[in-house]
Amino acid sequence: MAHVTEIARTDSEAETKEAVARAVALLEAGGIVAVPTETVYGLAADAMNPEAVARIFEAKDRPLFDPLIVHLPRKYLLHEVAEVPEDIAKVVAQLTETFWPGPLTLLLPKKPCIPDIVTAGLPTVAVRVGAHPVFGRIAKAFGRPIAAPSANLFGRISPTSAAAVFQELEGRVPLIIDGGACSRGLESTIIRIEPGEKKPIFHVVRAGPLSDDELKNFGKVRYQKHNDSVENQSPEAPGLLASHYAPRTPLRLIEEPGSFRPEPGKRYGLLSYRGSPEDGFIGRNDWAEVRILSPGSGKMPEAGVRFFFILRELDALGLDEIIAEPVPERAMGRAIMDRLRRASVG
Ligand code: AMP
Ligand code: MG
């Protein structure tokens, strides 16, 4: 598994051409390559080649029960990897027309051509068409479905830059395609669709950049409850482990500012939403470090795009503990709170 990890830049057209060709050559040879997407960086392999897909699990130390997302080069290929049940065909067409390419992943019954290792033996497959221009070129040049989970070690912070992938997977992957910072910064919204009586029902299996406001024009949005242990995992969301997205420094999400009691001598870092004294956290301690998701006005897309970047930065400061302030659970705030709850030790 040991590799010398190279980073291919995509600043000019000549560099991009070469990077795309190198990525495609690796995919065709059954190898793995880290690629940019608009959500977070992914670790890609040929979805139809079980040995190639096994290399993703190995490089990430990912358990085989955690299924991967399949990325398609083009929308119409959906029907090659998934069955679209008749009673939801119309809404699937509306959603893919509206949101693909983009950060929406659909769970649908899988076709037999998708190897079991991709879906962890489940009868469903998670599919999307990503919006990153460089990944789009790689996918189109390769021409077949690509399996790609986030390019981090299992359970750790998702990478939103090539440098972060290097930190996570140096020596475990031969090539990282540097497509710049991810424009969304949080993993895709995953939904399962139920026909419903009047309107289709969207069960949000993982909150993400696409909010209920955007989805509710097409159906009723329902959020699934947070699973708090591996034992009570619903088979619907096997990868949504209670502990996930975790920094090495202990992180604690504190929902009430008044309940925080600093221990003397401990170096605490604060992960703040907008750095406002009104939120009640900033003034409560002599923080060793403070990082703010969206300084001033607290804009959700900005908070989302900076979230994993800032978490990774705080984790590198040798703090005793990271204290996270809650963010309002609206729009992308829901996805941020989901990540914070899973990253939190208690
Ligand atoms: P990652 O790309 O690392 O964020 O991981 C993909 C996630 O998608 C997994 O951890 C699962 O939660 C989810 N997922 C993928 N395939 C399925 C599936 N067939 N059923 C349910 N959830 C899935
Ligand atoms: Mg992941």
Side-chain angles (χ1 to χ4, degrees):
M1 164 151 86
H3 292 282
V4 175
T5 303
E6 288 185 55
I7 300 185
R9 303 170 61 127
T10 60
D11 297 332
S12 65
E13 175 54 28
E15 281 176 345
T16 306
K17 249 190 176 151
E18 194 191 323
V20 169
R22 289 179 72 189
V24 171
L26 280 165
L27 293 173
E28 281 173 350
I32 51 174
V33 54
V35 292
T37 84
E38 81 278 33
T39 58
V40 302
Y41 272 71
L43 187 58
D46 181 350
M48 304 299 205
N49 176 345
E51 281 162 28
V53 174
R55 293 191 178 99
I56 296 179
F57 284 92
E58 191 190 4
K60 283 182 55 105
D61 282 338
R62 183 173 175 118
L64 287 167
F65 61 74
D66 191 358
L68 310 180
I69 291 175
V70 171
H71 295 250
L72 303 174
R74 296 181 193 277
K75 294 181 202 182
Y76 72 87
L77 289 170
L78 172 63
H79 301 276
E80 291 201 0
V81 300
E83 297 288 350
V84 179
E86 219 173 289
D87 52 4
I88 57 167
K90 191 171 154 220
V91 70
V92 166
Q94 286 172 332
L95 291 172
T96 56
E97 260 325 295
T98 311
F99 299 114
W100 283 1
L104 175 67
T105 298
L106 302 177
L107 288 183
L108 291 165
K110 84 174 189 78
K111 286 227 164 135
C113 63
I114 296 293
D116 285 337
I117 187 171
V118 172
T119 62
L122 293 169
T124 51
V125 61
V127 272
R128 81 175 185 106
V129 177
H132 194 287
V134 176
F135 183 62
R137 279 175 69 166
I138 294 169
K140 287 193 180 82
F142 182 58
R144 294 201 299 279
I146 291 172
S150 53
N152 50 279
L153 290 176
F154 179 68
R156 298 284 171 199
I157 306 172
S158 300
T160 53
S161 69
V165 179
F166 192 82
Q167 247 181 19
E168 288 288 317
L169 298 180
E170 191 205 345
R172 290 169 172 258
V173 53
L175 184 66
I176 300 167
I177 307 297
D178 187 349
C182 300
S183 63
R184 299 291 203 139
L186 293 170
E187 300 86 346
S188 60
T189 304
I190 306 180
I191 64 169
R192 181 174 63 79
I193 307 167
E194 212 190 298
E197 268 179 28
K198 287 194 194 116
K199 279 178 154 192
I201 301 164
F202 304 147
H203 296 274
V204 178
V205 173
R206 175 173 75 187
L210 208 67
S211 65
D212 18 342
D213 274 348
E214 289 167 280
L215 285 170
K216 75 181 180 206
N217 298 325
F218 303 94
K220 224 174 143 67
V221 183
R222 290 217 187 122
Y223 283 87
Q224 126 161 346
K225 268 210 162 148
H226 178 59
N227 292 326
D228 42 23
S229 79
V230 179
E231 287 73 33
N232 73 13
Q233 287 273 310
S234 81
E236 185 170 50
L240 297 181
L241 302 183
S243 170
H244 212 135
Y245 315 111
R248 294 183 201 271
T249 313
L251 176 144
R252 204 155 30 117
L253 169 67
I254 297 188
E255 310 227 10
E256 269 302 310
S259 65
F260 174 57
R261 308 254 178 286
E263 286 174 40
K266 255 188 154 182
R267 290 181 74 247
Y268 292 97
L270 177 66
L271 175 58
S272 170
Y273 169 45
R274 50 183 183 164
S276 164
E278 273 171 50
D279 298 337
F281 282 83
I282 288 258
R284 262 189 203 266
N285 187 32
D286 185 12
W287 304 102
E289 300 279 350
V290 176
R291 292 292 183 280
I292 303 170
L293 291 173
S294 179
S297 55
K299 291 198 179 68
M300 278 307 166
E302 183 182 38
V305 89
R306 281 161 57 78
F307 177 69
F308 283 128
F309 177 83
I310 283 186
L311 201 52
R312 188 172 288 279
E313 192 179 56
L314 278 169
D315 198 20
L317 295 173
L319 297 160
D320 293 315
E321 196 170 1
I322 300 166
I323 301 298
E325 231 176 63
V327 308
E329 281 193 78
R330 60 177 155 76
M332 250 197 231
R334 218 181 247 280
I336 295 173
M337 284 298 277
D338 166 68
R339 308 308 186 262
L340 279 176
R341 291 196 176 108
R342 292 177 205 280
S344 179
V345 291

